[in-house]
Structures are given as C-alpha cells and as structure tokens.
Amino acid sequence: MKQLFIILLFSTGLSASAFSRTMVDSRADAAAPWKAYEAEQLSDVTGYTPATTPVNKYGSSMNRRSASTGFFRTEIVDGRWYIIDPDGYVFIHKAVACVSPGTSERQKAALASRWGTNSQWCGYVNSWLKDAGFNGTGAWSSVAMLRQQAEPVAYTVIINPMSSYRDYHKNKVGGYTNAGWQGYEYNIIRVFDPLFETYMDNACKTLEQYKNDKYLLGYFVDNELPWVNDALDRHIRYLAAGDPCYDAAKQWLDTRKGKDAGLEDITVDDRNAFWDFYAGKYFKMAKDYILKYDPNHLFLGSRFNQAGEELSNPHIFETAGKYCDIISVNHYREWEPIATRMANWEAWSHKPFLITEFYTKGEDSGFANTTGAGWLVKTQRDRGLFYQNFVLKLLRSKGCVGWNWFRYQDNDPEDLTTDPSNRDSNKGMVNIDYDPYGDMMSLCKEINDNVYSLLEYLKAGETAERRTLAPVQDSYVRLLSSETDVHGSEELLRIKNDNASTYERTAFLQFDFTPCLQDISRIREASLGLKLTGIYPEASDPGSVILNLFRVTGMTFSETMTNPQLLSAYQNGSETRIGGVTVPVHAQSKDSTFKIDLTPAIPFMTETPVMTFRLQTDTRTATQFEFASRENAAVAGRPLVEIVLNKEPSSTAVKPAEIKPATAVWAYKTDANCLRIGGLEPDATVKLFGVEGRELYRFHHTAAAGDGDVNLPLQRCWGRLIFVNISTNRLHQTIKVLI
C-alpha cells in the first residue's frame, strides 16, 4: 500500500491546459533541488483587460484624488491603504533599490563610454525607470544626484544610527565574540546605552536638508536589526550588572514582577510585554528625532526581515505601528507574499507596509549565484514571471503601498570593496555593463503600467455578485495505517505529510457546483477558503509549505467510508492539480484563513458538477495541520467555496449590434452555430481549448486590425464550454464561450 500511495501522491499526471497557471522552476539556494512553483501572470487575471492609467509627475494615478498637504502621506481610500502624493493623488511606490553608479573599474569605464559623466547617467536612469513603469528609488540610491533632476522619481533616504553605534561599541570593547549574523553582540541592539541617543540625534540632523523636498517619500532608520523573540532573556542572561542595557531590562522585569526577578521568572507574557519597552524606545527615539529636523516626511521603519522572528510577532508590529508611518519589510525565504501574513501585519500595526527588498537570481546570467537570500530561477524571463506573480499578490493585500526590487545593477565580482553578499549574484535589473535584462524588464513594465487599473479592477470585484457553496461531504484518510475508523463526521480535517508515519494524512472535500451551471459564463473567479484551527510545528520543519489542491476523478466518495475504503477509492481514481497556497509553519499561523484559487476548475463544472478535491502539503514535514471541517462547531470557519460573478450576464447568441466589448477582442456563439471572433490585431494567434485543456483548433490572423470578423463552424465534439485564447505582442487574453 505504501509504495502505491507514494506513486499517486507525487506523480499527479497533470496535462497542460489553457487555464493553468504559469510554472517556474526555482530553488531556495544552489544546493536545493529544482521545484516548479506557480507564477500568476497579468494574463491570468480572469476578466481583466490590460489598461494604463494617466499618471502625474510623481507617478500617481490621476483617477483618484484626496486632500493635498504638499508632501507624501498615507490614507485609507475606499477600504485600501495608499500613499497620497504632495498634490493629493493616490500613489503606489514602485521602486528599485541601490540606483547608483557601479564602483568597479569596469563599471566606471562602461558608464563613461555611454554617458560620459555620472550626472548624465543619472538623467538617463531617471527616465529609464519611468519608462519601465517605476516611480521611485529605494535605499542606498544616489540621492544627491537623483534629486537634482527636474522631475525625479520619488526617492527614499536611509540612515544607520544603530549600526554605526554597534561599530563604535564593538571597537570600544575590543570586538565581539558572540555576534549574530547582523553583527550585533548576542543579537541585542543597545538602545538603552545613553550614548546611543547622541548617535540617533546626529544621524537625524542630516535630514534637515530634505525637509522641503516634495519628491522625498521618507526615511528608513537602520536595516534588518536583530529583533529576536527572546530579547528579554538575552539581556538578563548575557549582560552583566552595571551594563546600561542589563540594568534597564532588569529594572523593568523587577518592577513587573514585584521582586528581584531572574531568568526562571520570565514568562511568554513577559517577553511579549518587553517589546513595548525595548523596541518602543528605539522607534520612539527615531520618530522624535526625525520630527525634530524634518516634520514633513514619513518614517518608513527599520526594514523587518526574519520570518520566524519579527515577521510573525504581533507585539513588535503593534509597537512599531505606534511610531512608524509605514512598516518596511525585506521579503525573503518565501516564493511569494502570503496573504494571511500580510493581513496580520496591517491588523497588528494598524499601518500600511512597504516591501523594501525582494529579488530572484537567474542561472543564465553567468554568475555563480552562491550568495544572497533571493531564490534561483533558470532564466531572465523567469525573473520577470516571478516579479509579476509577486506584485499581483501584493496588490491583493489592502495594506501594501509599494515595493522595492533589490537591486538596480549586478555587482562586479572582481570588485572586492562591495558587500560580499552581493558579489557573485544576479540581483540587478541591468548587468555589469548597464545592459538591461530585456526579457525580465518587459514583464516588469507590463505589470507596472497596469498597477492602478488593476487596483480599480480588484475594487470593482469586491462589489460583484457573489455566491458561496458549502461542502456536501468531507473526510480525511490516515495513510499507511490499518485503522478502520470513519473520519467523515469529525470536526477537523487533519493533514500531515512525512512519508514515514502511520499518522500521515490527506484530506478530501466534495462540492456540488450544479447551482452555478446556469451562470457559468458569468463566473469571474472562484476560491476555496480553509480555516487553520491547529498546527503543531517541529523545529526541523521548513518555514512554510504549499498546501496543494487536487481534483480527483473516478473516485467513489462517502463520509461514511472507513479509512481503508476511502484510501482504496482514492487509489482507483486519478487527479489533476488545481492550485495551492503557501502556509507558514509556525504557531502564529493558527486561526488564519487560507484561500486557494479554484478558477482553473471552472471548466470542469460542466463535465462533473460534483467534484472531489484532495488536500496535501507539498513537503515532507513532521508538522500536522488541522483545518475546520464542514461539521466544525465554529460555523464561520467551515470550508467554503466563493464564486464571483460578473454583473452582466453574457448571452449564448449575441447579435453583432449588441456587442459592447470591454476588451480589444471578443468572441460569441451566433445563431448560425458558429463561433465569431472579432477585434483581432494583425499577427494575432488564436487557439481554442476544450474544458480538459485539449487544443481544439488554432489559426493565425494576418488581416489588418479590426478588418472583418472570423467565423468558425462549431463542432459537437468541442463540448459545452470552450476557451478562446488570443495572443499578440500587446495582448494575451482568454475568453470563455458557452456553446
């Protein structure tokens, strides 16, 4: 039984289909195996028509306006956070970090041969960023040159008072022997040292020069500080009496406990409460000194980055939210932003967030790519596919107000003066000689240009007609086990994938989509919501897993089946992967709701309205996940499919005069039992696909744009629903036609 199950689990037999997501081979580092990850693209957004939005000199949308204050600020507009530009228009910060001339001899020579001077290069790169759809620069950019442009992109400034003080203190004590990877002794920032406030004051004095500059977005204060969860313990355990940091922490603990307290007295509640004292002192000091020298610009935080520490810690987000205008996050270790985690950041801090670093490295760049936290992909096009997927996930978060790609240019490996973590890695959007990576940049530009119209589309979708479906049956199988229990009536769906234990489990859900068939041509998207009610992570587990959803066919399913009966029924069926969602593996994931895109399953509704789905994580892990079942006592947490319908129903026999296409191309069934397609551009490729993804027909349109319609006789063997896929240099669109 064990061998048979493994074959079924890891050999899904997926067939290519017109509606499946783009897959990108990637790996976390050079030692890891390649693995295919979904990369949602602009063309995958069901019902969306690519459209650019008029923008002003700041790169803000001219379609939405609020009150103007003369400087950048933040505001919730129609239920979503935005940055508001100095003139009052809504702004999303689409930026690139480290926009500066290269420092190696080769880079200097390349710049001189193309532009002559750094100043001339700066004028070029300002225009190049705008042409690529960007409207800002991130940390470590050439601010002095950039702000001299007539209309510069919105820029940011970073100061480093704590890292500067760290270097001073390290030299003062003769070096550190117990420093973490950021270089801080015992992973403690010495915010309670009286001298540190002088460093903060001196760093913020330099900001006065920017206080009247309308093109400045705001300030980062330090980068990736070691916000470890046991910060209180570390102060007491590692520092000695008389050390200002020890004394401050000890006094705080004694006051809280009402006695002379020690390590053995520290509880989880104490560690959580300590954040407001420890991190609160740092963030308040930064905010106070920024306001002292510049009352006009935003405090952008200190660039959180550790998934297992601060990014999962509600208490430090709550503290930071009291003082930061925007929470900044350097995003690594995950293939894409996780919706539940982003929702937490906003809920915990009550502030918007900005992704200030993310990137992938291309294997085709010629670099060794052994350094840096970004994932590896095979080609520059894959880097662009990654960018589109990442941005689409951010746009669906109502708390995200922008992102900064790290970085503008690849480092020259021969330049040993650069940060070692950047030295041999393809992080840049341009190479050492300033040549842009064209395959990547075309995909970046495509989605950058659509950001504001995409947000309007997503907003409109919130008011679209919605329907919900509860599962008709659900259960789970305890694999590799001889137990004969029946799990269909239990309140939990248990999932575990360690491929070794009799406790390994996979879960099943069944939904009846019959009520949706009469409106199938109106379906815009569908999703499955799952409530995680319990999680038991192990120390050896990865930071996250992907919860996969498979459509299983040929399987007889009943909630009353015993464990062996249900397993046998599954083994006699076949399956196709529909989609998945990333689930963080830590205790804070409990009580989160995760959504899996079910849109690729829509075509199957006409063939098998009653569908069975299987849930299983993609990674062997000791962690057990518990999701609410349809029998769960907490009704709101039960599994639920949400169907989003377009407001206007589409007819199966529309007359030409009635067609009011919202897109550049259109397709419909005529009374003459033909498929009519119109609005095609020259050199358009048209493909027809059936519900199972099989290509039915294709042709290449060579006539002039809009020159006549194309009529294709419909074939009975095509089925009730077909997909018309149109591709041009400008457009990629798929239209559903009910025939």
Side-chain angles (χ1 to χ4, degrees), residues 229-262:
N229 291 336
D230 61 342
L232 173 58
D233 306 65
R234 290 169 181 266
H235 279 76
I236 304 301
R237 177 182 291 113
Y238 297 124
L239 305 182
D243 183 311
C245 295
Y246 171 89
D247 292 346
K250 183 66 164 61
Q251 182 179 353
W252 178 89
L253 183 62
D254 289 348
T255 301
R256 179 175 172 84
K257 294 295 186 181
K259 65 175 183 177
D260 181 13

Side-chain angles (χ1 to χ4, degrees), residues 381-689:
R381 181 174 181 273
D382 289 342
R383 297 178 78 205
L385 296 173
F386 167 84
Y387 182 89
Q388 285 210 7
N389 179 65
F390 199 97
V391 168
L392 282 168
K393 300 302 188 288
L394 293 180
L395 292 177
R396 290 194 175 96
S397 164
K398 295 184 179 182
C400 180
V401 291
W403 52 88
N404 298 178
W405 177 271
F406 189 86
R407 45 182 276 135
Y408 165 65
Q409 185 179 32
D410 291 332
N411 281 124
D412 185 346
E414 297 182 3
D415 183 5
L416 302 184
T417 65
T418 59
D419 179 352
S421 69
N422 294 328
R423 201 168 288 157
D424 74 347
S425 293
N426 170 219
K427 302 180 182 182
M429 291 183 157
V430 303
N431 66 15
I432 297 170
D433 299 312
Y434 295 89
D435 297 316
Y437 290 110
D439 288 345
M440 174 192 182
M441 293 308 299
S442 62
L443 289 166
C444 293
K445 174 177 171 57
E446 180 182 47
I447 195 162
N448 284 349
D449 287 345
N450 279 270
V451 161
Y452 294 119
S453 57
L454 266 170
L455 288 174
E456 293 296 333
Y457 174 80
L458 294 173
K459 178 62 181 175
E462 294 175 13
T463 58
E465 183 180 344
R466 295 171 184 269
R467 296 178 188 172
T468 56
L469 295 173
V472 293
Q473 297 190 102
D474 63 8
S475 187
Y476 69 87
V477 170
R478 182 171 169 179
L479 301 158
L480 314 180
S481 171
S482 59
E483 71 157 31
T484 58
D485 290 0
V486 177
H487 298 296
S489 61
E490 297 182 12
E491 291 195 352
L492 298 174
L493 295 171
R494 292 183 168 89
I495 298 171
K496 188 173 185 178
N497 181 9
D498 58 12
N499 196 36
S501 166
T502 56
Y503 291 93
E504 185 171 352
R505 299 178 175 97
T506 190
F508 295 92
L509 289 163
Q510 190 175 84
F511 289 89
D512 186 355
F513 293 97
T514 303
C516 303
L517 293 183
Q518 62 183 0
D519 294 313
I520 193 167
S521 62
R522 294 176 54 206
I523 296 178
R524 171 174 171 169
E525 60 187 59
S527 62
L528 168 63
L530 298 162
K531 178 70 173 292
L532 182 62
T533 61
I535 181 170
Y536 305 96
E538 299 287 341
S540 60
D541 288 338
S544 65
V545 298
I546 295 175
L547 182 65
N548 283 313
L549 184 75
F550 301 90
R551 171 178 172 261
V552 186
T553 55
M555 174 185 177
T556 302
F557 178 42
S558 168
E559 284 188 328
T560 61
M561 284 180 167
T562 63
N563 196 76
Q565 289 172 333
L566 188 56
L567 177 59
S568 177
Y570 165 65
Q571 291 171 336
N572 291 328
S574 60
E575 64 183 20
T576 303
R577 184 178 184 276
I578 295 298
V581 63
T582 302
V583 180
V585 182
H586 52 66
Q588 287 78 16
S589 299
K590 183 182 176 182
D591 297 325
S592 298
T593 298
F594 297 88
K595 287 191 175 182
I596 299 177
D597 185 10
L598 271 185
T599 306
I602 293 172
F604 299 117
M605 293 179 187
T606 59
E607 303 296 316
T608 53
V610 180
M611 283 194 237
T612 298
F613 299 100
R614 183 175 72 90
L615 290 161
Q616 184 70 72
T617 60
D618 71 328
T619 304
R620 295 188 180 105
T621 169
T623 296
Q624 176 172 286
F625 302 89
E626 294 178 345
F627 292 92
S629 74
R630 82 183 188 104
E631 291 82 15
N632 199 279
V635 177
R638 294 174 181 176
L640 202 68
V641 166
E642 183 177 65
I643 307 289
V644 181
L645 299 146
N646 290 321
K647 291 183 179 180
E648 295 298 325
S650 57
S651 172
T652 58
V654 184
K655 302 297 187 294
E658 297 173 329
I659 295 175
K660 297 179 181 179
T663 62
V665 293
W666 38 267
Y668 65 95
K669 177 189 173 186
T670 70
D671 289 334
N673 205 36
C674 287
L675 177 69
R676 180 168 293 175
I677 307 172
L680 297 174
E681 295 183 353
D683 295 324
T685 298
V686 181
K687 301 177 185 178
L688 274 57
F689 293 87

Side-chain angles (χ1 to χ4, degrees), residues 7-27:
I7 292 173
L8 286 169
L9 178 59
F10 296 104
S11 301
T12 58
L14 290 177
S15 59
S17 60
F19 43 81
S20 62
R21 295 284 190 245
T22 301
M23 305 300 289
V24 174
D25 287 337
S26 184
R27 53 184 177 176

Side-chain angles (χ1 to χ4, degrees), residues 22 61-62 79 81 122 143 160 167 218 260 269 280 327 333 342 424 440 457 569 580 627 643 648 668 678 705 714 728:
T22 301
S61 170
M62 296 290 285
W81 280 101
C122 192
V143 170
N160 301 285
D167 295 342
D260 181 13
D269 288 341
I327 307 295
R333 310 303 178 190
M342 292 188 290
D424 74 347
M440 174 192 182
Y457 174 80
F627 292 92
I643 307 289
E648 295 298 325
Y668 65 95
L714 292 170
T728 69

Side-chain angles (χ1 to χ4, degrees), residues 317-335:
F317 271 85
E318 181 181 0
T319 295
K322 296 177 181 179
Y323 308 104
C324 300
D325 299 297
I326 297 175
I327 307 295
S328 50
V329 174
N330 294 348
H331 192 288
Y332 295 117
R333 310 303 178 190
E334 308 286 359
W335 172 250

